[in-house]
Amino acid sequence: MLGRATALRRGLQVAAGRTRGPDSGRGSAQPAGLDPALLGLLVCPLSKRPLRYEESSNELINEELGIAYPVVDGIPNMIPQAARKIEAEPPHPTGEESTQS
């Protein structure tokens, strides 16, 4: 369990910009992304299922429930009331054409 706590603490430090070293990324104009080590520890608070990080919208997506949690300054806001509803993506074509008789 200590390993998970350390990874979570590191992920939050990276997200908050408190990393050690000269090249910590402070002062960058880009919004902070989500640390991949942190993503491996997070699950949806409602369904307890893994989440997918969508970099373009800076959100954690639960496709099963159709909701997205915002990531603000690299910190995921996983309060269910903060989530927004998303539309389900249409199924991807399989490449096979169906033949009708």
Side-chain angles (χ1 to χ4, degrees):
M1 189 73 176
L2 181 60
R4 289 184 65 149
T6 302
L8 181 58
R9 188 177 322 107
R10 182 185 174 280
L12 292 175
Q13 288 173 342
V14 168
R18 294 184 304 226
T19 58
R20 294 184 183 111
D23 198 19
S24 65
R26 290 185 186 190
S28 65
Q30 297 181 28
L34 189 67
D35 184 11
L38 183 60
L39 183 59
L41 301 172
L42 297 176
V43 296
C44 177
L46 299 174
S47 69
K48 311 298 187 239
R49 306 280 302 192
L51 298 164
R52 176 179 58 84
Y53 178 61
E54 181 62 46
E55 191 172 1
S56 63
S57 62
N58 204 28
E59 295 175 315
L60 292 170
I61 309 293
N62 180 327
E63 294 173 355
E64 183 179 291
L65 297 179
I67 57 176
Y69 296 99
V71 177
V72 181
D73 293 329
I75 302 170
N77 183 351
M78 298 186 56
I79 299 171
Q81 292 84 355
R84 69 176 183 91
K85 293 290 272 180
I86 58 173
E87 294 184 23
E89 294 181 11
H92 296 286
T94 59
E96 298 176 15
E97 294 183 26
S98 61
T99 57
Q100 295 179 345
S101 302

